[in-house]
Amino acid sequence: MNKHGLCALWFAFVVVAACGGGESERSIPGLQAVPVAKAPEGACVAPSASMPDFLDRIGCREDFVQLSAAPLDATIPGARSMKVILDQADGDKLYFQNTTKFPVHYKFASMALSGNGKPVVPPLSSFNQTEYYSPDRRFILAAVTYYDQAKVWTLELAPYDTANAAMQTKLFAAVKAATYFGTDLVIHPTSDTAEATAATLPPEVPFLVNEILFTGIDYQPLNIATSYGRLRFVKEADLHKTYLSFRDIVVLDRVPNDIATVVGIITQDFQTPLSHLNVLSQNRRTPNMSLRGAVTNPALTALKDKWVKLEVGAFAYTIVEVPVAEADAWWETNKPAAVGVPRMDLTVTALKNIEDLVPNDGSLPLREAIKTAIPSYGGKAAHFSSLKHIPGLPVPRAFGIPVFYYQQHLDQNGISAKIAAMLADPLFKSDPATRDKQLTAIRADIIKGKVDPAFEAALFAKLKTEFPRTRMKFRSSTNAEDLEGFTGAGLYESYAGQVEDPDRPVLRALKSTWASVWLFRAFEEREYRSIDHKSVGMAILCSVSFVDEEANGVALTANPFDTSGLEPAFYVNVQKGETSVVLPGSKTTTDELIYHYYSPGQPAVYLAHSSLVGSGKTVITREQMFELGGALDKVHEYFRPAYGTAAGFYAMDVEFKFDDMGSGKTPTVWIKQARPHPGRGQ
């Protein structure tokens, strides 16, 4: 067995990766390379395995190990972290607290530093307001974190802490003098605002920006899970001509735009948590990880084309060869349960304005109201309809085309019979090349087929009357997507059309969207989830198209890197213009950040920056970020009664745009989709 252990104890507040920010150019020197720790250990202060409540200095690694604590979760593994408090009301006395026993600063301060001749520590709400934001605070709070992969010691303040350069310099000097690794210590700013403060530190206080720290990280767990499968090595450029099985675990040189259904993914390039690959992995509950040098890693290459067990953990991964019989037995026990999709309702024929799809009269709880619309108008349109009911939320105009017309088109053009024959063909079932060829033929038949004249007349009348001279997006909305526990993200396609625009014919857009039900990737995903293909139908969410948006993005309305709930925030991926966030080019990066909307100062912790904007710039401004945060908050709270009542992680997966919608004014945020996030691999 190859065990790649990553000892990982973590500071609960820290979110690590490439950080930056602000719409103006940054000029922060920082360090140009990770300073590898080299200080020798001294004499230990704490008796062996004594687990003291605190120490006033750290003399050896065992002292640090005893006082550091495992994180609940984090963006990157391989760290140990220990909380630090400097008490300015007691002669700048320094405390390295037992972070296992006291996981937050307040718990230790209120127990050990309150009363008995010391000032009384106030309640938590007052403590947070003063000790993180007040210039007259009693305490300076931070954490010492050792990054095992990067081999670096850092001093880190919370992303939203407003401690000025003088406070940070005082704390840094105290910690440096009281630790055996003090000569290796650097300040690590954990947000864009913290980086700005770091730029004002005196020369004797070194700091390390996140971009540099990130280069020292080799392993990134994206979806924590275990699978058995055949290990395949495939180049991203060859995926389009390579047939993969959903019993395969694939090793890739780059992060692809899309991939067939597989039971495990290892990419050499790092991913983002909202990458298309990771959304699919979460939906499938299959392991997904990134590993630098994966395609030449001896532990992996030795197992090429063999049956293996892959276990992706929060701080380590293991991979070991297994007999095929063991892999088969595991599959029979663990193959995903069949997804039951809502039965198509073919009695509804109305082209309804989107706000009328989901009842909003209080007659049904929201969750049940959404379910009433899915059989006729699909999951995407049903959730979009609910967005229209949120007061003050900017949502583009739209209407729904029920699934009736999709089924009518198949029946009238003889395609239903062809689909039945295809699904019954043994060669279609057994051979992926045959399957791909026949699915392509079905899509072509759908696009060539003639649309029912009465429906065509009704559709064009609505478009000309209610959406004149407007480009519309015909968006997929099947009854097998945006469901609880199964999003169907990225399976289907959407197309734009406009009346009297010969370059974007409406019927071509409509039929191409219908045809995407039978894409190879959609079929394979449904097969993996044991979905009855004949039960799936395509309704259409027809919405005003964004012709030339300033930015587009996806967001989670909760912080996926914090399971404790102590750090509420939004996770945001945003990109310039129309360039896809979830399906970018192989060399294209986005602005990826944690936005602490609920914290004073609302700092943004950037995990990565867009390759399409200038160095040191961000895709959207601070004002636009605040506007987006307000919209995400509305979405999160509106859907909470429907999806946020059970224990565990709750978030809505939201798509948004920044566009002026032809007004010529400053682009503003528009919410174009929201669906329940499938969770964190649970």
Side-chain angles (χ1 to χ4, degrees), residues 387-548:
L387 290 174
K388 293 291 287 187
H389 301 318
I390 302 177
L393 190 72
V395 181
R397 292 190 304 134
F399 66 95
I401 301 174
V403 71
F404 170 85
Y405 295 106
Y406 164 81
Q407 191 62 49
Q408 178 190 66
H409 186 73
L410 297 187
D411 294 342
Q412 290 182 350
N413 289 278
I415 301 171
S416 295
K418 291 182 179 180
I419 290 173
M422 176 185 71
L423 295 175
D425 180 2
L427 189 58
F428 173 85
K429 295 179 179 179
S430 63
D431 180 47
T434 298
R435 196 153 58 244
D436 196 2
K437 182 178 180 180
Q438 293 191 25
L439 288 168
T440 300
I442 290 294
R443 295 198 303 275
D445 287 342
I446 293 174
I447 293 172
K448 288 186 297 184
K450 182 175 175 57
V451 173
D452 180 80
F455 166 56
E456 179 181 348
L459 175 62
F460 275 78
K462 187 169 185 69
L463 290 171
K464 290 178 180 179
T465 302
E466 301 180 31
F467 301 89
R469 298 175 299 281
T470 302
R471 187 184 303 176
M472 305 295 288
K473 195 69 171 281
F474 291 79
R475 303 179 62 198
S476 65
S477 184
T478 72
N479 58 328
E481 61 183 305
D482 292 2
L483 305 176
E484 296 173 55
F486 182 75
T487 67
L491 297 186
Y492 310 108
E493 293 178 347
S494 303
Y495 295 86
Q498 182 174 337
V499 175
E500 299 174 350
D501 184 346
D503 295 328
R504 295 179 179 83
V506 165
L507 294 183
R508 176 81 182 192
L510 171 71
K511 292 186 289 183
S512 296
T513 306
W514 278 343
S516 69
V517 170
W518 300 101
L519 287 166
F520 183 84
R521 67 170 182 264
F523 184 92
E524 295 294 286
E525 184 73 24
R526 293 197 301 266
E527 189 75 6
Y528 172 72
R529 298 301 296 266
S530 301
I531 294 173
D532 179 4
H533 303 285
K534 297 188 295 296
S535 71
V536 177
M538 180 71 78
I540 301 290
L541 166 59
C542 191
S543 64
V544 173
S545 181
F546 296 89
V547 178
D548 188 25

Side-chain angles (χ1 to χ4, degrees), residues 95-155:
Y95 298 88
F96 297 99
Q97 73 186 57
N98 184 326
T99 310
T100 298
K101 185 174 181 180
F102 305 102
V104 295
H105 289 106
Y106 175 75
K107 188 173 182 180
F108 175 77
S110 60
M111 188 281 295
L113 306 180
S114 183
N116 296 319
K118 301 180 185 293
V120 174
V121 172
L124 178 61
S125 58
S126 298
F127 178 90
N128 286 342
Q129 287 298 316
T130 57
E131 304 310 321
Y132 290 105
Y133 308 111
S134 173
D136 300 321
R137 67 187 70 180
R138 173 184 170 186
F139 302 118
I140 305 177
L141 310 174
V144 170
T145 303
Y146 178 70
Y147 292 95
D148 182 70
Q149 293 190 61
K151 308 300 182 189
V152 62
W153 292 95
T154 67
L155 182 66

Side-chain angles (χ1 to χ4, degrees), residues 10-204:
W10 203 221
F11 176 31
F13 286 152
V14 174
V15 180
V16 180
C19 178
E23 50 184 304
S24 60
E25 300 228 358
R26 290 175 293 133
S27 179
I28 300 175
L31 297 174
Q32 300 307 307
V34 175
V36 178
K38 55 187 179 297
E41 294 186 50
C44 294
V45 177
S48 180
S50 63
M51 298 297 290
D53 287 347
F54 71 91
L55 294 174
D56 59 5
R57 60 190 178 90
I58 304 297
C60 68
R61 186 168 185 82
E62 182 60 26
D63 287 345
F64 178 74
V65 169
Q66 287 197 57
L67 268 63
S68 55
L72 294 170
D73 201 359
T75 54
I76 298 175
R80 299 178 72 100
S81 198
M82 171 181 61
K83 300 295 178 61
V84 180
I85 295 181
L86 187 142
D87 188 353
Q88 298 187 102
D90 190 17
D92 293 338
K93 189 170 182 179
L94 191 64
Y95 298 88
F96 297 99
Q97 73 186 57
N98 184 326
T99 310
T100 298
K101 185 174 181 180
F102 305 102
V104 295
H105 289 106
Y106 175 75
K107 188 173 182 180
F108 175 77
S110 60
M111 188 281 295
L113 306 180
S114 183
N116 296 319
K118 301 180 185 293
V120 174
V121 172
L124 178 61
S125 58
S126 298
F127 178 90
N128 286 342
Q129 287 298 316
T130 57
E131 304 310 321
Y132 290 105
Y133 308 111
S134 173
D136 300 321
R137 67 187 70 180
R138 173 184 170 186
F139 302 118
I140 305 177
L141 310 174
V144 170
T145 303
Y146 178 70
Y147 292 95
D148 182 70
Q149 293 190 61
K151 308 300 182 189
V152 62
W153 292 95
T154 67
L155 182 66
E156 301 165 329
L157 280 70
Y160 41 79
D161 196 313
T162 61
N164 58 31
M167 293 180 190
Q168 293 190 33
T169 299
K170 177 194 287 189
L171 178 63
F172 179 84
V175 173
K176 179 178 179 179
T179 56
Y180 76 89
F181 50 80
T183 55
D184 295 330
L185 191 67
V186 297
I187 282 185
H188 168 223
T190 59
S191 69
D192 55 346
T193 51
E195 279 197 6
T197 302
T200 67
L201 290 168
E204 65 270 18

